Amino acid sequence: MSFAVEAAGLTLAFVARLVTGAQGHWKGCPPKAEQRIYFANHQSHLDWVLIWAALPRDLRASTRPIAARDYWTTGKLKHWITREVFHAVYVDRKRVDDQDPLEPLAAALEQGDSLVIFPEGTRGAHAEPAGFKSGLYHLAMRFPEARLIPTWIDNVQRVMPKGEVVPVPVLCTVTFGAPVAPTLGEDKAAFLARARDAVIALRPRPAA
């Protein structure tokens, strides 16, 4: 890693924490150097930046976010940051009939990397995430050695709501839960519903 890339990564992590706090809370699993798939609710372009910033520095190098190619490769700066600093896995939101949307993710996992994904598939505007798409299930079945870590990002929609480009300082938290995995005989729909429930269960509860 070049000095410029390392400096940019440290700067981005500092700015993310300065603007949002990016506080990481580990409930049910400690930060650990093992292959993981962090799956989270999705409400802002900043979501994966906050997860990345909340991870310990030694885990960031092997944890790669999923990024929409049509958005994050437009503009030299965005493309350089996502490619060189975050080592993003680019996915196409519009695909042709013979294209496997999971292939870039599978390639990263085969290399031993960890991933940050958003099973809703698109950003939501509601308090709870929409139903999860099937990709998480297929990755879990294909890569059983990768630990699936439910993750809840709180308050980020207030930092950068959909359609906005300038972040507003607001305290955010990222909560990592206990790993989940498909159980014997569990079908896809049941697993995806349980995985979604595991993410929702991490949402901070209002004080009584």
Side-chain angles (χ1 to χ4, degrees):
M1 180 183 296
S2 71
F3 174 79
V5 171
E6 184 174 6
L10 292 173
T11 301
L12 287 169
F14 172 77
V15 171
R17 290 174 176 168
L18 181 66
V19 174
T20 69
Q23 299 179 20
H25 301 291
W26 298 85
K27 297 184 177 180
C29 73
K32 187 178 180 181
E34 62 183 5
Q35 189 174 43
R36 291 178 167 182
I37 300 175
Y38 299 95
F39 62 98
N41 57 315
H42 192 23
Q43 294 187 319
S44 165
H45 281 310
L46 285 178
D47 289 340
W48 55 264
V49 178
L50 292 187
I51 293 177
W52 181 85
L55 292 173
R57 182 179 174 182
D58 61 333
L59 298 186
R60 293 179 199 150
S62 60
T63 303
R64 303 175 64 186
I66 305 308
R69 185 186 302 276
D70 61 292
Y71 179 82
W72 288 105
T73 61
T74 57
K76 291 183 178 180
L77 181 59
K78 281 196 299 185
H79 193 189
W80 184 84
I81 289 174
T82 53
R83 184 185 69 245
E84 300 295 333
V85 179
F86 295 107
H87 306 291
V89 178
Y90 296 114
V91 295
D92 295 308
R93 291 190 283 191
K94 295 181 180 179
R95 58 189 175 96
V96 296
D97 292 339
D98 62 347
Q99 183 181 32
D100 180 1
L102 293 182
E103 192 52 41
L105 285 68
L109 290 168
E110 286 170 353
Q111 294 173 11
D113 295 325
S114 295
L115 295 178
V116 175
I117 71 172
F118 303 97
E120 295 171 79
T122 187
R123 287 172 293 154
H126 302 289
E128 294 187 351
F132 283 3
K133 297 185 181 299
S134 61
L136 179 66
Y137 174 79
H138 293 304
L139 290 175
M141 298 301 290
R142 185 170 171 180
F143 298 94
E145 69 281 2
R147 305 272 275 178
L148 308 179
I149 308 297
T151 306
W152 180 268
I153 308 168
D154 196 55
N155 257 355
V156 71
Q157 70 277 13
R158 294 173 57 196
V159 177
M160 186 177 284
K162 194 170 183 177
E164 297 297 326
V165 295
V166 178
V168 177
V170 174
L171 184 64
C172 297
T173 58
V174 179
T175 304
F176 304 93
V180 301
T183 59
L184 185 64
E186 184 178 36
D187 64 21
K188 178 175 66 177
F191 167 73
L192 292 174
R194 185 163 60 84
R196 178 177 177 272
D197 288 343
V199 170
I200 295 172
L202 299 172
R203 180 173 56 184
R205 304 301 178 190

